[in-house]
mmCIF file of all heavy atoms in Angstrom:
data_model
loop_
_atom_site.group_PDB
_atom_site.id
_atom_site.type_symbol
_atom_site.label_atom_id
_atom_site.label_comp_id
_atom_site.label_asym_id
_atom_site.label_seq_id
_atom_site.Cartn_x
_atom_site.Cartn_y
_atom_site.Cartn_z
ATOM 1 N N ILE A 230 14.194 16.091 -1.641
ATOM 2 C CA ILE A 230 15.391 15.233 -1.671
ATOM 3 C C ILE A 230 16.653 16.089 -1.620
ATOM 4 O O ILE A 230 17.562 15.847 -0.827
ATOM 5 C CB ILE A 230 15.392 14.329 -2.934
ATOM 6 C CG1 ILE A 230 14.286 13.288 -2.823
ATOM 7 C CG2 ILE A 230 16.747 13.668 -3.150
ATOM 8 C CD1 ILE A 230 14.066 12.464 -4.072
ATOM 9 N N ARG A 231 16.674 17.127 -2.454
ATOM 10 C CA ARG A 231 17.883 17.984 -2.477
ATOM 11 C C ARG A 231 18.138 18.581 -1.104
ATOM 12 O O ARG A 231 19.262 18.612 -0.622
ATOM 13 C CB ARG A 231 17.712 19.102 -3.507
ATOM 14 C CG ARG A 231 17.820 18.576 -4.919
ATOM 15 C CD ARG A 231 17.658 19.679 -5.960
ATOM 16 N NE ARG A 231 17.423 19.072 -7.258
ATOM 17 C CZ ARG A 231 16.361 19.295 -8.019
ATOM 18 N NH1 ARG A 231 15.420 20.133 -7.634
ATOM 19 N NH2 ARG A 231 16.229 18.679 -9.178
ATOM 20 N N GLU A 232 17.045 19.000 -0.469
ATOM 21 C CA GLU A 232 17.181 19.631 0.843
ATOM 22 C C GLU A 232 17.654 18.630 1.897
ATOM 23 O O GLU A 232 18.567 18.897 2.666
ATOM 24 C CB GLU A 232 15.821 20.193 1.229
ATOM 25 C CG GLU A 232 15.869 21.149 2.401
ATOM 26 C CD GLU A 232 14.470 21.651 2.710
ATOM 27 O OE1 GLU A 232 13.752 22.040 1.753
ATOM 28 O OE2 GLU A 232 14.083 21.590 3.883
ATOM 29 N N GLN A 233 17.050 17.436 1.883
ATOM 30 C CA GLN A 233 17.413 16.438 2.896
ATOM 31 C C GLN A 233 18.815 15.885 2.706
ATOM 32 O O GLN A 233 19.519 15.613 3.663
ATOM 33 C CB GLN A 233 16.438 15.258 2.856
ATOM 34 C CG GLN A 233 15.143 15.541 3.579
ATOM 35 C CD GLN A 233 14.231 14.315 3.540
ATOM 36 O OE1 GLN A 233 14.688 13.193 3.662
ATOM 37 N NE2 GLN A 233 12.958 14.531 3.353
ATOM 38 N N VAL A 234 19.210 15.705 1.460
ATOM 39 C CA VAL A 234 20.495 15.068 1.183
ATOM 40 C C VAL A 234 21.650 16.064 1.284
ATOM 41 O O VAL A 234 22.711 15.746 1.830
ATOM 42 C CB VAL A 234 20.481 14.387 -0.206
ATOM 43 C CG1 VAL A 234 21.846 13.813 -0.549
ATOM 44 C CG2 VAL A 234 19.420 13.316 -0.254
ATOM 45 N N GLY A 235 21.438 17.233 0.785
ATOM 46 C CA GLY A 235 22.495 18.256 0.791
ATOM 47 C C GLY A 235 23.737 17.752 0.095
ATOM 48 O O GLY A 235 23.660 17.211 -1.013
ATOM 49 N N GLU A 236 24.869 17.867 0.784
ATOM 50 C CA GLU A 236 26.136 17.450 0.174
ATOM 51 C C GLU A 236 26.461 15.993 0.477
ATOM 52 O O GLU A 236 27.486 15.480 0.068
ATOM 53 C CB GLU A 236 27.287 18.322 0.716
ATOM 54 C CG GLU A 236 27.192 19.793 0.351
ATOM 55 C CD GLU A 236 27.104 19.994 -1.144
ATOM 56 O OE1 GLU A 236 27.967 19.436 -1.865
ATOM 57 O OE2 GLU A 236 26.161 20.668 -1.606
ATOM 58 N N ARG A 237 25.594 15.344 1.274
ATOM 59 C CA ARG A 237 25.921 13.980 1.697
ATOM 60 C C ARG A 237 25.797 12.991 0.531
ATOM 61 O O ARG A 237 25.191 13.289 -0.486
ATOM 62 C CB ARG A 237 24.969 13.541 2.814
ATOM 63 C CG ARG A 237 25.191 14.340 4.079
ATOM 64 C CD ARG A 237 24.337 13.868 5.203
ATOM 65 N NE ARG A 237 22.954 14.293 5.092
ATOM 66 C CZ ARG A 237 22.016 13.989 5.974
ATOM 67 N NH1 ARG A 237 22.295 13.244 7.011
ATOM 68 N NH2 ARG A 237 20.774 14.412 5.825
ATOM 69 N N GLN A 238 26.388 11.808 0.749
ATOM 70 C CA GLN A 238 26.204 10.785 -0.285
ATOM 71 C C GLN A 238 25.043 9.888 0.117
ATOM 72 O O GLN A 238 24.934 9.489 1.279
ATOM 73 C CB GLN A 238 27.452 9.917 -0.447
ATOM 74 C CG GLN A 238 27.256 8.938 -1.603
ATOM 75 C CD GLN A 238 28.426 7.991 -1.782
ATOM 76 O OE1 GLN A 238 28.750 7.202 -0.898
ATOM 77 N NE2 GLN A 238 29.061 8.077 -2.936
ATOM 78 N N VAL A 239 24.165 9.610 -0.820
ATOM 79 C CA VAL A 239 23.034 8.753 -0.514
ATOM 80 C C VAL A 239 23.182 7.456 -1.315
ATOM 81 O O VAL A 239 23.545 7.480 -2.489
ATOM 82 C CB VAL A 239 21.689 9.471 -0.787
ATOM 83 C CG1 VAL A 239 21.585 10.000 -2.198
ATOM 84 C CG2 VAL A 239 20.496 8.583 -0.487
ATOM 85 N N VAL A 240 22.954 6.347 -0.621
ATOM 86 C CA VAL A 240 22.992 5.081 -1.344
ATOM 87 C C VAL A 240 21.571 4.543 -1.425
ATOM 88 O O VAL A 240 20.767 4.762 -0.516
ATOM 89 C CB VAL A 240 23.858 4.012 -0.647
ATOM 90 C CG1 VAL A 240 25.302 4.284 -0.848
ATOM 91 C CG2 VAL A 240 23.499 3.863 0.788
ATOM 92 N N CYS A 241 21.290 3.884 -2.513
ATOM 93 C CA CYS A 241 19.969 3.278 -2.558
ATOM 94 C C CYS A 241 20.103 1.857 -3.073
ATOM 95 O O CYS A 241 20.952 1.555 -3.905
ATOM 96 C CB CYS A 241 19.009 4.126 -3.359
ATOM 97 S SG CYS A 241 19.039 3.934 -5.098
ATOM 98 N N GLY A 242 19.285 0.981 -2.496
ATOM 99 C CA GLY A 242 19.285 -0.397 -2.940
ATOM 100 C C GLY A 242 18.296 -0.500 -4.080
ATOM 101 O O GLY A 242 17.177 0.014 -3.982
ATOM 102 N N LEU A 256 16.400 10.050 -7.651
ATOM 103 C CA LEU A 256 17.627 10.563 -7.023
ATOM 104 C C LEU A 256 18.588 11.091 -8.088
ATOM 105 O O LEU A 256 19.226 12.127 -7.916
ATOM 106 C CB LEU A 256 18.319 9.455 -6.217
ATOM 107 C CG LEU A 256 17.611 8.980 -4.947
ATOM 108 C CD1 LEU A 256 18.312 7.759 -4.362
ATOM 109 C CD2 LEU A 256 17.546 10.090 -3.894
ATOM 110 N N VAL A 261 21.645 14.505 -6.827
ATOM 111 C CA VAL A 261 22.419 14.323 -5.602
ATOM 112 C C VAL A 261 23.532 13.291 -5.818
ATOM 113 O O VAL A 261 23.499 12.528 -6.799
ATOM 114 C CB VAL A 261 21.520 13.885 -4.411
ATOM 115 C CG1 VAL A 261 20.567 14.994 -4.037
ATOM 116 C CG2 VAL A 261 20.764 12.594 -4.728
ATOM 117 N N ASN A 262 24.458 13.265 -4.899
ATOM 118 C CA ASN A 262 25.572 12.329 -4.962
ATOM 119 C C ASN A 262 25.048 10.945 -4.557
ATOM 120 O O ASN A 262 24.756 10.720 -3.392
ATOM 121 C CB ASN A 262 26.648 12.844 -4.002
ATOM 122 C CG ASN A 262 27.839 11.917 -3.920
ATOM 123 O OD1 ASN A 262 27.919 10.921 -4.651
ATOM 124 N ND2 ASN A 262 28.759 12.217 -3.003
ATOM 125 N N MET A 263 24.864 10.052 -5.508
ATOM 126 C CA MET A 263 24.227 8.772 -5.194
ATOM 127 C C MET A 263 24.969 7.570 -5.745
ATOM 128 O O MET A 263 25.703 7.652 -6.708
ATOM 129 C CB MET A 263 22.795 8.725 -5.755
ATOM 130 C CG MET A 263 22.802 8.742 -7.248
ATOM 131 S SD MET A 263 21.579 7.900 -8.224
ATOM 132 C CE MET A 263 20.846 6.663 -7.442
ATOM 133 N N ARG A 264 24.741 6.449 -5.038
ATOM 134 C CA ARG A 264 25.204 5.155 -5.563
ATOM 135 C C ARG A 264 24.028 4.207 -5.503
ATOM 136 O O ARG A 264 23.310 4.169 -4.497
ATOM 137 C CB ARG A 264 26.308 4.588 -4.672
ATOM 138 C CG ARG A 264 27.661 5.204 -4.899
ATOM 139 C CD ARG A 264 28.616 4.696 -3.833
ATOM 140 N NE ARG A 264 28.934 3.274 -4.000
ATOM 141 C CZ ARG A 264 29.478 2.520 -3.043
ATOM 142 N NH1 ARG A 264 29.748 3.044 -1.861
ATOM 143 N NH2 ARG A 264 29.758 1.250 -3.260
ATOM 144 N N PHE A 326 24.484 -4.844 2.196
ATOM 145 C CA PHE A 326 24.352 -3.582 1.517
ATOM 146 C C PHE A 326 25.307 -2.553 2.132
ATOM 147 O O PHE A 326 26.073 -1.887 1.444
ATOM 148 C CB PHE A 326 22.894 -3.164 1.683
ATOM 149 C CG PHE A 326 22.549 -1.892 1.011
ATOM 150 C CD1 PHE A 326 22.437 -1.861 -0.367
ATOM 151 C CD2 PHE A 326 22.318 -0.748 1.742
ATOM 152 C CE1 PHE A 326 22.106 -0.686 -1.001
ATOM 153 C CE2 PHE A 326 21.985 0.418 1.121
ATOM 154 C CZ PHE A 326 21.879 0.459 -0.252
ATOM 155 N N TRP A 327 25.291 -2.481 3.453
ATOM 156 C CA TRP A 327 26.129 -1.514 4.164
ATOM 157 C C TRP A 327 27.611 -1.807 3.971
ATOM 158 O O TRP A 327 28.408 -0.900 3.861
ATOM 159 C CB TRP A 327 25.745 -1.514 5.653
ATOM 160 C CG TRP A 327 25.578 -0.124 6.186
ATOM 161 C CD1 TRP A 327 26.321 0.459 7.172
ATOM 162 C CD2 TRP A 327 24.634 0.863 5.766
ATOM 163 N NE1 TRP A 327 25.885 1.748 7.385
ATOM 164 C CE2 TRP A 327 24.864 2.036 6.538
ATOM 165 C CE3 TRP A 327 23.630 0.894 4.793
ATOM 166 C CZ2 TRP A 327 24.126 3.202 6.380
ATOM 167 C CZ3 TRP A 327 22.885 2.059 4.647
ATOM 168 C CH2 TRP A 327 23.127 3.186 5.422
ATOM 169 N N VAL A 330 28.601 -0.507 0.786
ATOM 170 C CA VAL A 330 28.538 0.933 0.753
ATOM 171 C C VAL A 330 29.749 1.603 1.387
ATOM 172 O O VAL A 330 30.191 2.663 0.960
ATOM 173 C CB VAL A 330 27.250 1.371 1.514
ATOM 174 C CG1 VAL A 330 27.270 2.828 1.841
ATOM 175 C CG2 VAL A 330 26.026 1.010 0.705
ATOM 176 N N ASP A 332 31.093 3.858 4.112
ATOM 177 C CA ASP A 332 30.536 4.752 5.127
ATOM 178 C C ASP A 332 29.625 5.831 4.543
ATOM 179 O O ASP A 332 29.792 7.006 4.804
ATOM 180 C CB ASP A 332 31.653 5.376 5.958
ATOM 181 C CG ASP A 332 32.684 6.011 5.057
ATOM 182 O OD1 ASP A 332 32.458 5.982 3.832
ATOM 183 O OD2 ASP A 332 33.685 6.550 5.566
ATOM 184 N N ALA A 333 28.682 5.414 3.756
ATOM 185 C CA ALA A 333 27.741 6.398 3.200
ATOM 186 C C ALA A 333 26.880 6.961 4.319
ATOM 187 O O ALA A 333 26.660 6.326 5.338
ATOM 188 C CB ALA A 333 26.862 5.746 2.163
ATOM 189 N N GLU A 334 26.406 8.145 4.068
ATOM 190 C CA GLU A 334 25.726 8.845 5.156
ATOM 191 C C GLU A 334 24.211 8.677 5.174
ATOM 192 O O GLU A 334 23.578 8.901 6.189
ATOM 193 C CB GLU A 334 26.088 10.320 5.080
ATOM 194 C CG GLU A 334 27.567 10.533 5.289
ATOM 195 C CD GLU A 334 28.119 11.611 4.389
ATOM 196 O OE1 GLU A 334 27.924 11.543 3.163
ATOM 197 O OE2 GLU A 334 28.753 12.516 4.914
ATOM 198 N N LEU A 335 23.661 8.281 4.080
ATOM 199 C CA LEU A 335 22.191 8.180 4.014
ATOM 200 C C LEU A 335 21.760 6.961 3.217
ATOM 201 O O LEU A 335 22.377 6.616 2.214
ATOM 202 C CB LEU A 335 21.635 9.396 3.272
ATOM 203 C CG LEU A 335 21.309 10.658 4.039
ATOM 204 C CD1 LEU A 335 20.879 11.726 3.049
ATOM 205 C CD2 LEU A 335 20.178 10.393 5.029
ATOM 206 N N LEU A 336 20.682 6.336 3.671
ATOM 207 C CA LEU A 336 20.123 5.198 2.928
ATOM 208 C C LEU A 336 18.767 5.624 2.362
ATOM 209 O O LEU A 336 17.919 6.132 3.098
ATOM 210 C CB LEU A 336 19.928 4.028 3.892
ATOM 211 C CG LEU A 336 19.050 2.871 3.425
ATOM 212 C CD1 LEU A 336 19.741 2.089 2.314
ATOM 213 C CD2 LEU A 336 18.733 1.926 4.580
ATOM 214 N N ALA A 337 18.567 5.429 1.063
ATOM 215 C CA ALA A 337 17.261 5.745 0.478
ATOM 216 C C ALA A 337 16.520 4.450 0.194
ATOM 217 O O ALA A 337 17.111 3.485 -0.294
ATOM 218 C CB ALA A 337 17.434 6.538 -0.810
ATOM 219 N N GLN A 338 15.255 4.422 0.534
ATOM 220 C CA GLN A 338 14.446 3.219 0.297
ATOM 221 C C GLN A 338 13.174 3.583 -0.470
ATOM 222 O O GLN A 338 12.577 4.611 -0.214
ATOM 223 C CB GLN A 338 13.974 2.635 1.620
ATOM 224 C CG GLN A 338 15.041 2.106 2.503
ATOM 225 C CD GLN A 338 14.458 1.047 3.436
ATOM 226 O OE1 GLN A 338 14.786 -0.125 3.324
ATOM 227 N NE2 GLN A 338 13.578 1.439 4.311
ATOM 228 N N LEU A 372 18.369 2.948 12.044
ATOM 229 C CA LEU A 372 18.948 3.985 11.180
ATOM 230 C C LEU A 372 17.997 5.168 11.042
ATOM 231 O O LEU A 372 18.408 6.318 10.968
ATOM 232 C CB LEU A 372 19.224 3.408 9.778
ATOM 233 C CG LEU A 372 20.338 2.388 9.668
ATOM 234 C CD1 LEU A 372 20.330 1.742 8.295
ATOM 235 C CD2 LEU A 372 21.687 3.076 9.913
ATOM 236 N N GLN A 375 18.264 7.584 13.696
ATOM 237 C CA GLN A 375 19.427 8.463 13.546
ATOM 238 C C GLN A 375 19.263 9.429 12.377
ATOM 239 O O GLN A 375 20.197 10.119 11.994
ATOM 240 C CB GLN A 375 20.687 7.622 13.302
ATOM 241 C CG GLN A 375 21.019 6.665 14.417
ATOM 242 C CD GLN A 375 22.035 5.605 13.949
ATOM 243 O OE1 GLN A 375 22.732 5.776 12.953
ATOM 244 N NE2 GLN A 375 22.097 4.506 14.666
ATOM 245 N N GLY A 376 18.090 9.411 11.771
ATOM 246 C CA GLY A 376 17.830 10.334 10.661
ATOM 247 C C GLY A 376 18.594 9.963 9.406
ATOM 248 O O GLY A 376 18.930 10.804 8.589
ATOM 249 N N LYS A 377 18.915 8.647 9.262
ATOM 250 C CA LYS A 377 19.739 8.247 8.115
ATOM 251 C C LYS A 377 18.945 7.558 7.007
ATOM 252 O O LYS A 377 19.524 6.926 6.136
ATOM 253 C CB LYS A 377 20.843 7.294 8.590
ATOM 254 C CG LYS A 377 21.937 7.989 9.377
ATOM 255 C CD LYS A 377 23.042 7.002 9.633
ATOM 256 C CE LYS A 377 24.275 7.680 10.163
ATOM 257 N NZ LYS A 377 25.318 6.705 10.463
ATOM 258 N N VAL A 378 17.632 7.595 7.109
ATOM 259 C CA VAL A 378 16.835 6.922 6.072
ATOM 260 C C VAL A 378 15.963 7.924 5.341
ATOM 261 O O VAL A 378 15.295 8.757 5.946
ATOM 262 C CB VAL A 378 15.958 5.802 6.683
ATOM 263 C CG1 VAL A 378 15.123 5.135 5.597
ATOM 264 C CG2 VAL A 378 16.818 4.758 7.383
ATOM 265 N N LEU A 379 16.005 7.819 4.046
ATOM 266 C CA LEU A 379 15.237 8.718 3.185
ATOM 267 C C LEU A 379 14.188 7.863 2.478
ATOM 268 O O LEU A 379 14.529 6.881 1.825
ATOM 269 C CB LEU A 379 16.249 9.268 2.169
ATOM 270 C CG LEU A 379 15.929 10.434 1.298
ATOM 271 C CD1 LEU A 379 15.848 11.683 2.140
ATOM 272 C CD2 LEU A 379 17.050 10.573 0.262
ATOM 273 N N GLU A 380 12.929 8.220 2.620
ATOM 274 C CA GLU A 380 11.871 7.425 1.972
ATOM 275 C C GLU A 380 10.916 8.349 1.225
ATOM 276 O O GLU A 380 9.787 8.585 1.655
ATOM 277 C CB GLU A 380 11.125 6.599 3.025
ATOM 278 C CG GLU A 380 12.014 5.549 3.668
ATOM 279 C CD GLU A 380 11.296 4.685 4.697
ATOM 280 O OE1 GLU A 380 10.551 5.225 5.517
ATOM 281 O OE2 GLU A 380 11.485 3.453 4.660
#
Side-chain angles (χ1 to χ4, degrees):
I230 291 172
R231 287 180 195 122
E232 193 180 314
Q233 280 182 39
V234 176
E236 296 304 308
R237 293 184 284 180
Q238 184 183 62
V239 55
V240 284
C241 83
L256 291 172
V261 294
N262 177 5
M263 66 147 337
R264 281 172 69 197
F326 182 74
W327 227 243
V330 165
D332 52 3
E334 297 141 307
L335 272 176
L336 165 70
Q338 294 205 112
L372 291 170
Q375 300 164 19
K377 287 187 169 177
V378 179
L379 193 69
E380 295 181 315

